[in-house]
Amino acid sequence: MSFRRKRGCSEHSGRTGRRRRSAGGLVATLAAAAVAFAGAPAAFAGAPAAHGSPNSPGSAGSSASARQAAVPAPPAGFSTTWSDDFNGPAGTGLDTGTWRYDTGAGWTFGTGEIETMTNSTSNVYQDGSGHLVLKALHSGSDPSAGWTSGRVETQADGFGAQPGGVVRMQASIQQPDVTTANGAGYWPAFWMLGSPLRVGVPWPGSGEVDILEDVNGRSSVFSTLHCGVSPGGPCNESSGIGSGEHACPGCQTAYHTYAVEVDRSTSPEQIRWYLDGTNFYTLRADQVDATTWANAVDHSYFIIFDLAMGGGFPGAFGGGPNASTVSGGQMNVDYVAVYNKPPAGQSGLGPNIARAKPTTASSAESADFPASNATDGDITTRWSSGFSDPQWLQVDLGRSYDLTHATLTWEAAAASAYQLQTSDDGTNWRTIYTNSNSPADIQDTALSGSGRYVRVYATSRASQYGDSLYELALYGTPTDGGGGGDPGGGTLLSQGRPATASSSENSSFVPAAAVDGNTGTRWSSGFSDPQWLQVDLGATHTLSKVVLNWETAYATAYRIQTSNDGTSWTDVYATTTGTGGTQTVPVTGSGRYVRVDCTARATQYGDSLWEFQVYGS
């Protein structure tokens, strides 16, 4: 059970929404359950990912001395959708393109908190060793006043499960290194709110999933779903439906992994909570009515970390802060990741044929939200239209396809009514799918139709804002019977994926140009040996071949290499007699990262590739 009814400043393209909830009615409920642990310490068979034991709160090196862990590879059947491992320089704040700060007095969060949340690097910073630190600091002699701390949330709110799929949110966290003797009032949390909240759908109906909460240094974890109406309702608000207190030994002195899975592939649907890989609590959809569950769960979310001080939840377990509460306690986050498992059957759909293809739109809210964002393969970027109806987004697939499937991941400002249309010439359109009035932000549908051009024609908005789309994914096969440029079998894995290189000749010939699916753009290196180009496939794949489409300035000697971590490399092919042109190289091996390592050039210029294509399964 939990207490977190939270508010924050949601700055969405210049619009601001205050999320605020009442704090009443929970103390008696929580106090009654305060001594009930959902599991004993023996339940934690998984070894914690310990990075060392930091020193006492506020002391030097309390997180900087800890070793950073890499973001884990996705679980079997999942792929990595997004992650952050906080690799900024020591003492720096967060990238505000990825994160936003929730600032202001704690009492405005509706929970009775007493801290002031700031964006100061005294309270929120990266430690230079791969960690985000949220630090609570006290000034003055009154323990019930003078506290500052930090709270951050993701800019993106498109993290969710497709209908029939699963999403997993996971973070490695060290709770504040305090005890019940000196930690009264500390309230760390890792949690997420439903994206509809950002466009005015009220809490708790819009949904809140608390992944980790602990209070007063109790070495515990509380996990909760908030839903329905408050007070009371089907979800017993303001308490919510949750695990109760679950033992978390060592969670103040070492990093542990906290995760939640929203599983829409089962019937009934489930939410499962995990500590160090062990599922300790499961909530089923049939424990509340269908409408309440759908409104609270079946959509996307945004992720939040915060370290509160005081309030109703600590108050239910003895209160605080008090004269013994130490200043400088910190919540350290090693990484956060979102993993997705697609619905059954989607693994056979083939590559997303819309990714990195030329995309245009009727309008854009601003230069920050262009049409191309909806087909870049990045769930944290989006297209947003002007604030009127109708609007459209159009992608040129480059050739005609027989379309079989589409997935649309909307931002909270979704289209409530739209059509999917195809065209052979970009002028004359035919409708192959109609969504009459579905405001859910993750929509997945089979298609039957063909065309070179596909557009989303939106006729009605679910909010007062524009139509805003994180990703449009399309699947199908060329109508001319071709294999989509894959005569040797396997799925094209590299197109649109993040690419880096040892150098670029200039800003016109960047690494991304070699994996954009466009043979009119290219990467070109500096004019020296050696040089390399690398692509991150996002997950480990079994590889079948690599196709190199060289520009006139090609490499005569190069290696194809694979890696699971981007650091240690294995050769899967090598030649010293490269001839340029288009070279198809069969390979045997696996890896998340693939690179071409060029050691000798055929010309005085750099190594230059129109396209670098990696195939596999």
Side-chain angles (χ1 to χ4, degrees):
M1 62 191 54
S2 173
F3 242 78
R4 299 205 74 86
R5 276 131 331 271
K6 309 167 181 95
R7 174 294 296 159
C9 292
S10 177
E11 297 172 0
H12 171 64
S13 314
R15 60 188 189 250
T16 301
R18 302 287 284 185
R19 295 189 299 280
R20 204 176 159 186
R21 282 154 273 193
S22 67
L26 303 202
V27 173
T29 303
L30 287 169
V35 296
F37 278 70
F44 303 100
H51 294 210
S53 297
N55 302 318
S56 61
S59 62
S62 61
S63 69
S65 62
R67 178 182 58 85
Q68 180 200 10
V71 176
F78 287 77
S79 61
T80 303
T81 300
W82 172 81
S83 66
D84 195 343
D85 51 5
F86 306 110
N87 279 327
T92 60
L94 292 175
D95 176 3
T96 54
T98 302
W99 296 92
R100 62 181 67 169
Y101 293 85
D102 282 343
T103 59
W107 67 264
T108 64
F109 298 144
T111 57
E113 301 168 30
I114 63 171
E115 83 291 335
T116 296
M117 294 298 190
T118 83
N119 59 7
S120 168
T121 51
S122 296
N123 297 119
V124 183
Y125 61 91
Q126 298 176 88
D127 68 0
S129 296
H131 308 99
L132 165 67
V133 179
L134 304 180
K135 180 178 284 189
L137 296 171
H138 184 246
S139 61
S141 58
D142 183 357
S144 62
W147 287 92
T148 59
S149 191
R151 167 176 159 151
V152 296
E153 63 185 63
T154 56
Q155 293 280 4
D157 59 18
F159 306 131
Q162 290 184 33
V166 187
V167 65
R168 181 182 178 97
M169 282 75 164
Q170 179 173 306
S172 176
I173 300 169
Q174 180 195 348
Q175 294 186 29
D177 189 5
V178 296
T179 67
T180 54
N182 67 359
Y186 274 87
W187 185 3
F190 164 40
W191 50 292
M192 57 193 192
L193 285 166
S195 60
L197 191 71
R198 284 187 170 170
V199 292
V201 177
W203 184 94
S206 52
E208 174 181 331
V209 179
D210 299 325
I211 306 167
L212 155 68
E213 294 185 278
D214 190 17
V215 290
N216 301 349
R218 294 176 64 86
S219 290
S220 301
V221 56
F222 295 80
S223 300
T224 309
L225 171 69
H226 291 283
C227 52
V229 297
S230 182
C235 304
N236 188 36
E237 297 299 348
S238 299
S239 296
I241 307 173
S243 64
E245 188 172 16
H246 189 80
C248 191
C251 288
Q252 266 67 39
T253 56
Y255 286 83
H256 289 249
T257 299
Y258 305 86
V260 68
E261 288 183 356
V262 178
D263 188 347
R264 301 182 66 186
S265 70
T266 63
S267 183
E269 294 180 356
Q270 295 181 356
I271 304 176
R272 296 185 293 269
W273 284 266
Y274 297 82
L275 176 63
D276 293 328
T278 298
N279 174 207
F280 67 90
Y281 180 58
T282 298
L283 182 64
R284 303 184 317 274
D286 59 4
Q287 292 176 246
V288 298
D289 65 273
T291 298
T292 294
W293 181 272
N295 289 341
V297 177
D298 292 343
H299 50 57
S300 297
Y301 300 87
F302 55 98
I303 292 171
I304 306 143
F305 294 105
D306 78 289
L307 177 56
M309 295 300 297
F313 201 4
F317 291 84
N322 57 38
S324 298
T325 302
V326 66
S327 174
Q330 58 192 58
M331 175 180 173
N332 304 324
V333 184
D334 189 6
Y335 69 83
V336 57
V338 178
Y339 306 109
N340 277 88
K341 178 187 289 187
Q346 275 202 23
S347 59
L349 292 176
N352 171 13
I353 58 176
R355 178 177 286 178
K357 296 296 174 62
T359 307
T360 55
S362 52
S363 67
E365 179 183 343
S366 74
D368 293 328
F369 307 109
S372 58
N373 281 355
T375 54
D376 64 358
D378 184 348
I379 198 64
T380 68
T381 65
R382 58 184 174 88
W383 163 66
S384 183
S385 78
F387 295 4
S388 63
D389 297 318
Q391 301 287 342
W392 54 262
L393 178 92
Q394 171 183 320
V395 58
D396 177 1
L397 301 177
R399 65 196 294 187
S400 182
Y401 282 83
D402 290 321
L403 300 168
T404 60
H405 206 88
T407 301
L408 297 93
T409 305
W410 295 96
E411 197 245 358
S416 59
Y418 65 91
Q419 300 171 342
L420 295 181
Q421 300 176 322
T422 63
S423 173
D424 298 319
D425 56 11
T427 302
N428 300 294
W429 297 92
R430 48 191 175 268
T431 298
I432 61 172
Y433 172 77
T434 298
N435 185 310
S436 297
N437 187 32
S438 177
D441 53 14
I442 306 175
Q443 293 159 3
D444 189 68
T445 182
L447 295 178
S448 179
S450 63
R452 169 176 172 169
Y453 302 87
V454 178
R455 78 174 179 181
V456 181
Y457 187 69
T459 56
S460 180
R461 291 164 293 138
S463 74
Q464 70 269 41
Y465 308 112
D467 299 293
S468 187
L469 189 64
Y470 281 114
E471 281 296 305
L472 169 65
L474 298 170
Y475 303 88
T477 57
T479 56
D480 61 9
D486 184 15
T491 297
L492 177 58
L493 304 170
S494 54
Q495 189 162 304
R497 299 300 307 175
T500 53
S502 53
S503 67
S504 293
E505 179 181 346
N506 59 48
S507 60
S508 297
F509 306 112
V510 295
V515 292
D516 63 1
N518 183 352
T519 55
T521 63
R522 60 186 173 91
W523 164 67
S524 182
S525 76
F527 296 1
S528 63
D529 295 320
Q531 301 287 342
W532 53 263
L533 175 78
Q534 170 183 323
V535 61
D536 177 0
L537 304 179
T540 299
H541 291 271
T542 300
L543 307 178
S544 59
K545 69 176 181 181
V546 173
V547 178
L548 303 106
N549 184 353
W550 294 100
E551 196 246 1
T552 305
Y554 64 93
T556 55
Y558 63 89
R559 299 178 294 176
I560 305 297
Q561 299 177 308
T562 65
S563 174
N564 291 323
D565 58 10
T567 302
S568 301
W569 295 91
T570 300
D571 292 353
V572 293
Y573 175 81
T575 184
T576 57
T577 57
T579 57
T582 299
Q583 298 176 324
T584 300
V585 178
V587 296
T588 300
S590 64
R592 170 175 172 170
Y593 303 87
V594 181
R595 76 175 177 183
V596 53
D597 185 37
C598 306
T599 55
R601 293 164 292 139
T603 72
Q604 70 269 41
Y605 306 110
D607 300 293
S608 186
L609 279 164
W610 295 110
E611 282 294 296
F612 178 53
Q613 296 178 315
V614 180
Y615 291 85
S617 58

